[in-house]
Amino acid sequence: MWTKPPQRLAPRPAAADSPSASPDPTPDASASPDPFPAAEPVTSPQPKSRSAGPAAGRKTRSNSGGGNAASKRPGGALSSSSSTARGGAPAASSPAANAAAAQAAADALFTDPSPAPLEAPRIGPVRVAALGGGRGRGLITTRTVQPGELLLAVRPLALAWDEQYDEDGDGGDGGGSGPGSDIEPADAKFLELQRQLLGRKYSAREVAWLSGLVGLPGGGAEQGSGQAGEQQQQQQQQEAPPLPELTSGSRPGEREEEEGSRDLPLPARLRDPDTLADVVQANCLEPDGGAEDEHAFWARWAAAAAAAARTAPSADASPANSSATSSPSPSSSVVPVPVPAPARRRRGPMGLWPEASLLNHSCIPNTVAYVVGDTLFVRAARRVGGGAELTVSYLPVGSGYGDVYDDGDVYDSDDGDDGGDGGGTAAATLLSPLADRRGALEELRGFVCSCSRCTAEESLDPKLRALMADISEGVAALRGDLRTALALAELDEEGDEGEGEEEGEGDVEEAVAAAPDAGRARGGSAAATRSGGAQDKQQRQQQQQRREEEEAEEGEEEEEEEGEGGSRWRQMVGSVVDRAGMYLELMDAAMVKLKLTPAQQITAQSAVAPLYTVLWAALGSRGELEPRLAEVMGALVGEVAPGSADHVWWSEVARETAEMIVAEEEAAEEAPVVRRGGGGGGGFSRPQDDRVTIADKACYRAFGVRYGPLSRGVYRQLLAARRRREDEQQQ
Ligand SMILES: C[S@@+](CC[C@H](N)C(=O)[O-])C[C@H]1O[C@@H](n2cnc3c(N)ncnc32)[C@H](O)[C@@H]1O
């Protein structure tokens, strides 16, 4: 989400200053045979100053590890016994079962079966329809679709990423956007899209698409208001070109045919700078995620490929073989599977994907979109009936999972650097109250949202809405205080280092670096804590004893320091925790008093959800875990934006937190063990395991929505791989 008014780029003659064939819009496009064919040709070379080097220093889990699959040579051969391949579809025992398992593994990549899973564009059970109510066209389902089902896999006309412009890699305003530039990354990307569109050539079909975007709502024509505006809209819709047909283009050779005829310039009307900027502004998408999705995609793909090759009687049944890659034919024992190993961070895609630009917005969307390579994947995020409209969010989710420490534009609505109106509407997220969301959509996209969530929120009691607005503003202040507190903590820590580190303060740095991932702040890496369950009892008891002693000492030191006016940061964190707790109590009291239905409660809580994040982060900075907060965030984000990166992240945190708490209870021998009833063959079960199981199920569902149906084995692999990357990054 860019926070400044969009900037316009003066048109240049196509390719006039760019004789060379252009690089992939992503940096580092040097070395591929890429499993995704190269991006659409972009004929303007990218100015050097905007090709940022490797991003560094991001503190978010979501951006940990990561890299650029589109620009990397496949990372080498994997054998079927490699760790990446382990845990794929279970090996089957008869030839028929083998073949079925192989097919299932291949099909699991896409729920609409196709022999060429990686070859976009792929169009699922969707079609274009004219919608009423000033919404222009939209995409509707042609049948009922299930959560996780693939709806679109489509290629962009233009695409830019944060790290192309964000020198310091923090996604914020740290003077990034390329050496010597003070432009915001979001603005830089917005300009880059226009530059790419002006610089490239088009097929006849693409020209038709682009022409169809002009003169439609939000598509480059000034809209009047009131009755005149409506008449104007109706007239434009009547004059608009016929609805485009969505075609997969996966007939063999079709793609090549089309690329061969890609020699038309951008339509003249779009060469007008204002029109081009408007069209890009109205139609570009900014899906969440980034490198993590590429990791997940390839881990899953590798597992399916390996499982298929293990069981396939012939090479043809392997997804590795059926992809568009140049992967060698698998044999039955060793499976060379090209798996890109993205090594760099990648986040913040902004692109123009023509087919997906037909998706209208909802503040409670029923699809989720993310990018792998340069292909946009759109999956159903919920069960959607046949003929129903599909929607995506134009706003970021904004659970703040990675932004507590960033000057991230998600929250910095009032810090005066956004060049906006100070009201911060442009920085609103899906987890902002109605007025902020509407303001942002109106300012940035030029329409007033009246989706089902907005309507439901509108009908809440005005006093409750006023309280929600106050809390939302208060949360911005809490975030500011927490950032200050953590900066102070860092200073404290530096001071302590100068004097020789004092016992007990050693985890401050870790806490600062790791919260909101509070688990990391709990004295030792999550990996160490996770493995606690496997340690023998005596060792665990010793550890627990040591921890208690340390905590006691730490507490005494803190009291001393605070008595001397020291440890200001702890006082500030304490104040953040108290105020956040007070807001929560106020919300609870209001919801009880007004007797809100569960649905209304979700509507109300969603609009102030960042409160839970701030509280989580504040507690995390003191090394405290509050599992309920992570559960609530996972559940709320899962209601508002299922399958979003935020949803996956919070579900995973909730799961991990549950595991850690149980491990600690076990270590402290607090965990009850009860005899299992029924015919389970005896044994014991523990109520605390249910907590982990419930959290694990929720997490599995979140992964399944984002990445499509997953086997348990692949899910475990994805979790393990994410943890490895996170733990590596923490070190
Ligand atoms: C990316 S286009 C979506 C397709 C568009 N409806 C069309 O006919 O081409 C974005 C534009 O669709 C309209 N739109 C999208 N979501 C909307 C919503 N929730 N309510 C009203 N209009 C919406 C706005 O005019 C917006 O500028």
Side-chain angles (χ1 to χ4, degrees), residues 502 553-567:
E502 284 175 42
E553 273 178 46
E554 203 176 322
E556 281 166 25
E557 278 168 18
E558 275 163 33
E559 274 171 31
E560 268 173 41
E561 273 180 18
E562 274 154 29
E564 295 160 9
S567 199

Side-chain angles (χ1 to χ4, degrees), residues 332-605:
S332 58
S333 56
V334 178
V335 193
V337 181
V339 179
R344 292 182 46 197
R345 293 158 214 280
R346 203 181 195 209
R347 83 160 176 176
M350 183 192 280
L352 191 70
W353 292 270
E355 293 92 342
S357 76
L358 288 161
L359 287 163
N360 285 312
H361 163 89
S362 167
C363 298
I364 183 157
N366 58 15
T367 71
V368 58
Y370 57 91
V371 186
V372 176
D374 65 357
T375 295
L376 182 81
F377 286 77
V378 180
R379 290 187 185 275
R382 310 169 195 270
R383 185 178 184 279
V384 184
E389 188 189 358
L390 292 164
T391 54
V392 73
S393 174
Y394 297 172
L395 295 174
V397 178
S399 71
Y401 68 96
D403 295 301
V404 171
Y405 305 97
D406 291 347
D407 297 326
D409 48 15
V410 168
Y411 283 98
D412 67 350
S413 51
D414 285 317
D415 64 5
D417 70 353
D418 63 7
D421 59 6
T425 51
T429 73
L430 277 188
L431 301 180
S432 302
L434 172 67
D436 290 352
R437 300 197 306 273
R438 276 213 173 131
L441 289 166
E442 210 171 347
E443 186 182 323
L444 293 166
R445 302 281 184 156
F447 66 89
V448 176
C449 186
S450 52
C451 68
S452 58
R453 181 171 161 216
C454 290
T455 316
E457 202 167 323
E458 232 168 9
S459 65
L460 290 178
D461 188 291
K463 288 198 204 81
L464 177 63
R465 285 182 53 200
L467 174 65
M468 286 155 58
D470 284 350
I471 290 179
S472 180
E473 252 179 55
V475 169
L478 293 185
R479 275 179 48 85
D481 286 358
L482 184 58
R483 270 206 296 259
T484 308
L486 296 174
L488 278 175
E490 235 166 323
L491 284 178
D492 266 11
E493 173 68 6
E494 278 164 22
D496 286 346
E497 271 169 19
E499 294 163 17
E501 193 175 293
E502 284 175 42
E503 206 180 342
E505 286 291 306
D507 26 321
V508 169
E509 191 181 5
E510 190 180 351
V512 171
D517 185 3
R520 304 289 190 270
R522 215 172 157 81
S525 75
T529 314
R530 275 195 294 270
S531 67
Q535 289 167 342
D536 70 35
K537 200 170 148 194
Q538 196 186 1
Q539 217 178 341
R540 276 189 261 136
Q541 279 169 341
Q542 283 168 354
Q543 273 185 349
Q544 176 69 15
Q545 202 179 341
R546 263 205 307 277
R547 217 175 5 235
E548 279 168 12
E549 282 167 12
E550 275 173 18
E551 274 168 15
E553 273 178 46
E554 203 176 322
E556 281 166 25
E557 278 168 18
E558 275 163 33
E559 274 171 31
E560 268 173 41
E561 273 180 18
E562 274 154 29
E564 295 160 9
S567 199
R568 278 280 296 147
W569 77 270
R570 285 184 188 276
Q571 288 172 6
M572 285 186 81
V573 168
S575 154
V576 169
V577 170
D578 291 346
R579 283 181 290 157
M582 184 193 71
Y583 284 144
L584 283 183
E585 276 171 27
L586 282 172
M587 273 298 283
D588 283 350
M591 290 192 301
V592 170
K593 183 139 198 267
L594 294 168
K595 298 196 176 81
L596 296 197
T597 63
Q600 286 173 321
Q601 287 182 25
I602 289 170
T603 304
Q605 285 177 306

